[in-house]
Amino acid sequence: MKITIAIDGYSSCGKSTLAKTLASRLGYAYVDSGAMYRAVTLYCMRNGLIKNGKFDTAKVIAVLDDIHLTFVYNPATKASDTYLNGENVEKPIRQMDVSEQVSKIAVVKEVRDKMFRIQRKLGKDKGVVMDGRDIGTHIFPHAELKIFMTADTNVRTQRRLDELSAKGYTVSFDEVKKNLEERDYEDSHRKESPLRKADDAVVLDNTELDKEEQLEFVLRLAKQLSA
Ligand code: DC
């Protein structure tokens, strides 16, 4: 029996890495819900709607119907690439400038409502692993398996820094750490579907776990629940 797996948690906890490998091992679809918020943010930035970190909520709401998100499977990464109005935006949405603005766009109720509809649709047939901040609490409150991921902030910062350096970006440890802390704060304190552990979620603190150990832990739970 196919189940729904919701993976939520703080920024740069390795949610996407775990979710992607888990989905691939189970033959499930993987959906990166954060990529959708990032794509909306990128659209707003490119269209001059965010200036010096400030934006007009009414203007953002007004352009929502012009934003079309699609997802195309990329065999090289074994995951779907996010397309914004027909353009593959996988690269630009991961950059620091987008990371710095995305939590502010993610508080807008109308943006969240739009994401809710897309995400619900993508998971309607089960057999999906979706990661984000509100998947187990809001998008799929009846998911059979919910994981809440966390890890020490310095460990998360270093992992994110390594990831960005590997892609050729030059950023400092402090800059990345500040961004993580700010996003965690904003994501956990917003009014609309804030990041919080669902009551029935299993906590996975991966400060001292490698990727294999995390995968094994979640795979065991998933197999028990889908048996
Ligand atoms: O997972 P990520 O770092 O790519 O997510 C980017 C931002 O999007 C994150 O800071 C908060 C927002 N987000 C959200 O509010 N709800 C989700 N389900 C996923 C992401």
Side-chain angles (χ1 to χ4, degrees), residues 11 15 32-35 37-38 94 102-103 106 112 119 131-135 183 187 190:
S11 292
K15 298 186 297 293
D32 173 357
S33 71
Y37 289 95
R38 287 173 178 271
R94 310 289 167 192
V102 61
S103 282
R112 302 205 70 83
Q119 290 159 14
D131 75 335
R133 305 292 187 291
D134 61 343
I135 311 304
R183 279 206 286 148
D187 295 342
R190 65 175 175 236

Side-chain angles (χ1 to χ4, degrees), residues 18 20 65 72 84-85 101 145 147 186 190 196:
L18 176 65
K20 206 187 294 177
D65 283 345
V72 179
L84 168 63
N85 294 341
Q101 310 299 335
L145 178 56
I147 304 289
E186 285 177 44
R190 65 175 175 236
R196 65 169 184 83

